[in-house]
Amino acid sequence: MSLPEFKLVRPRSLDEAICSLGEYPRDVQVLAGGTDLIPSLRQKLFEPRLVLDVRRIAELRGVRPQADGGVEIGALTTLTEIERSGFLRQHFPVLTEAAATVASPVLRNMGTLGGNICLDTRCLWYNQSLTWRKGCGFCIKKDGDICHVAPGGTKCWAAFSGDTPPALLCLNAEIEIAGVSGTRKIPLREFYTGSGDNYRKLERNELVTRILIPASSADYRGVYRKLRIRGSIDYPLAGVAVVLKRANGHVCDARVALTAVNPAPTLVKNAGAILEARAVDEAVAEQVGDLAARTAKPLTTSALTPEYRREMIRVFTKRAVLAAAN
Ligand SMILES: Cc1cc2nc3c(=O)[nH]c(=O)nc-3n(C[C@H](O)[C@H](O)[C@H](O)COP(=O)(O)OP(=O)(O)OC[C@H]3O[C@@H](n4cnc5c(N)ncnc54)[C@H](O)[C@@H]3O)c2cc1C
Ligand code: SF4
């Protein structure tokens, strides 16, 4: 499968990158590690006039601990750097654990945290070659007007399938977005739309520059559990992150978030209320698992059945809660 034709620009600074974004405001695609984008370009899922390869922008790399105990991470920091960061492992272990499960070592050497946050949603009817999609029928997400997964509906249910966003949601992370009209910061939980087609609130002429985790989220115990078909290299088909803080033998704060079972990574509402001020045992962990399973809305977007994926969310959440508590 060949790449479509496009102009390639390789800026060396953020200012240069923003200038180029302004040149083709509606027809540009940011390239970071390229581990997801390049296969998608070959499948003609994107046909931009300009590809902006931002890999040379040194200021967007690195893990920078802040004086107050929080941390700032450049969007181009690779998943291997995240996984190996002693600071992150010590203070934000759920993030290093989630990063270590992405794809394979080679892909983690290339793939970036920003790319993982911005990752396109996935569906059996979408992540296919142009010939396949032409033969089987286009759909709402690209070139068509029907959904093969939920026929009769007008919504795209393609699943968000990045591993690090549930961990970052649990850590109350914010992201910085830069574009021609300036720079803004938003909580990551406000970044996703909940729809599988226009899945993120990012204009084509904007890019994610930094990820900020507040000091108040440091030193939570964290666990990430993931269901995939090939243990050595695969997107999640269900994933759950759990963080909790204990004081005097009881949980004083807890958060749970899911991935790969909805069009957006999703915080499980009220999970904290079940866990707080409790000594965590099997029954409490099971209650949180039930709540997580009710939050998950998997459809037939991947190789495993929705029923199995929802059930695995229940099982993995229970196990992750017990592991984080012990
Ligand atoms: C075989 C295989 C297995 C995989 N398994 C997993 C897995 O288990 N878990 C998982 O999470 N991912 C998986 N991936 C996907 C991918 O490797 C990772 O998600 C990786 O983190 C993507 O980062 P990247 O820098 O390569 O992004 P790219 O491929 O460069 O970009 C991905 C998307 O994000 C956009 N983008 C990238 N950076 C920015 C930015 N700074 N600002 C704005 N937009 C941006 C791009 O335009 C593109 O739309 C897999 C990929 C392959 C090929
Ligand atoms: S969920 Fe429906 S609209 Fe979305 S990619 Fe799959 S088939 Fe297409």
Side-chain angles (χ1 to χ4, degrees), residues 105-223:
V106 173
L107 289 163
R108 293 198 292 277
N109 286 343
M110 295 288 290
T112 63
L113 187 62
N116 202 241
I117 289 171
C118 294
L119 191 65
D120 196 7
T121 53
R122 298 184 64 78
C123 175
L124 282 176
W125 294 88
Y126 171 69
N127 297 99
Q128 303 287 354
S129 68
L130 178 60
T131 314
W132 191 103
R133 285 182 290 118
K134 218 182 233 170
C136 291
F138 294 120
C139 69
I140 295 169
K141 188 158 164 70
K142 175 83 178 132
D143 299 330
D145 54 9
I146 56 163
C147 174
H148 302 289
V149 165
T154 53
K155 177 171 172 176
C156 169
W157 290 91
F160 181 84
S161 307
D163 282 304
T164 64
L168 291 167
L169 285 177
C170 284
L171 296 172
N172 277 341
E174 282 191 325
I175 54 172
E176 183 186 80
I177 294 172
V180 273
S181 46
T183 301
R184 61 195 164 101
K185 276 187 203 151
I186 58 165
L188 183 63
R189 64 177 174 279
E190 290 173 15
F191 182 57
Y192 301 101
T193 63
S195 185
D197 45 356
N198 291 314
Y199 61 99
R200 55 187 189 182
K201 293 178 195 156
L202 188 74
E203 299 298 330
R204 294 301 285 264
N205 61 1
E206 290 184 320
L207 76 158
V208 174
T209 46
R210 274 174 262 273
I211 296 92
L212 307 121
I213 307 179
S216 55
S217 291
D219 303 326
Y220 278 57
R221 291 189 193 190
V223 172

Side-chain angles (χ1 to χ4, degrees), residues 19-275:
C19 274
S20 299
L21 286 170
E23 225 184 297
Y24 293 89
R26 289 183 205 296
D27 225 352
V28 53
Q29 194 79 39
V30 172
L31 174 82
T35 57
D36 193 71
L37 184 64
I38 297 292
S40 300
L41 287 170
R42 289 186 190 281
Q43 292 177 321
K44 314 289 185 298
L45 295 174
F46 304 108
E47 291 161 279
R49 284 171 67 200
L50 175 75
V51 170
L52 189 67
D53 176 355
V54 293
R55 273 178 293 188
R56 296 176 179 195
I57 308 180
E59 62 195 282
L60 297 187
R61 286 192 181 280
V63 175
R64 287 178 284 277
Q66 303 294 291
D68 67 355
V71 66
E72 187 184 293
I73 306 172
L76 292 180
T77 308
T78 64
L79 295 163
T80 299
E81 288 170 291
I82 303 285
E83 183 189 345
R84 293 192 182 159
S85 157
F87 178 82
L88 293 178
R89 191 171 291 275
Q90 185 182 350
H91 299 290
F92 305 98
V94 70
L95 178 59
T96 51
E97 192 179 349
T101 71
V102 173
S104 66
V106 173
L107 289 163
R108 293 198 292 277
N109 286 343
M110 295 288 290
T112 63
L113 187 62
N116 202 241
I117 289 171
C118 294
L119 191 65
D120 196 7
T121 53
R122 298 184 64 78
C123 175
L124 282 176
W125 294 88
Y126 171 69
N127 297 99
Q128 303 287 354
S129 68
L130 178 60
T131 314
W132 191 103
R133 285 182 290 118
K134 218 182 233 170
C136 291
F138 294 120
C139 69
I140 295 169
K141 188 158 164 70
K142 175 83 178 132
D143 299 330
D145 54 9
I146 56 163
C147 174
H148 302 289
V149 165
T154 53
K155 177 171 172 176
C156 169
W157 290 91
F160 181 84
S161 307
D163 282 304
T164 64
L168 291 167
L169 285 177
C170 284
L171 296 172
N172 277 341
E174 282 191 325
I175 54 172
E176 183 186 80
I177 294 172
V180 273
S181 46
T183 301
R184 61 195 164 101
K185 276 187 203 151
I186 58 165
L188 183 63
R189 64 177 174 279
E190 290 173 15
F191 182 57
Y192 301 101
T193 63
S195 185
D197 45 356
N198 291 314
Y199 61 99
R200 55 187 189 182
K201 293 178 195 156
L202 188 74
E203 299 298 330
R204 294 301 285 264
N205 61 1
E206 290 184 320
L207 76 158
V208 174
T209 46
R210 274 174 262 273
I211 296 92
L212 307 121
I213 307 179
S216 55
S217 291
D219 303 326
Y220 278 57
R221 291 189 193 190
V223 172
Y224 180 67
R225 293 287 179 268
K226 160 177 180 177
L227 173 70
R228 53 182 156 180
I229 295 180
R230 300 169 297 179
S232 57
I233 173 172
D234 235 336
Y235 290 87
L237 296 177
V240 55
V242 172
V243 299
L244 56 81
K245 200 164 214 170
R246 302 177 65 135
N248 306 323
H250 287 70
V251 175
C252 59
D253 192 21
R255 297 166 212 146
V256 177
L258 310 179
T259 190
V261 284
N262 297 84
T266 309
L267 273 166
V268 177
K269 279 191 199 141
N270 301 325
I274 297 176
L275 288 162

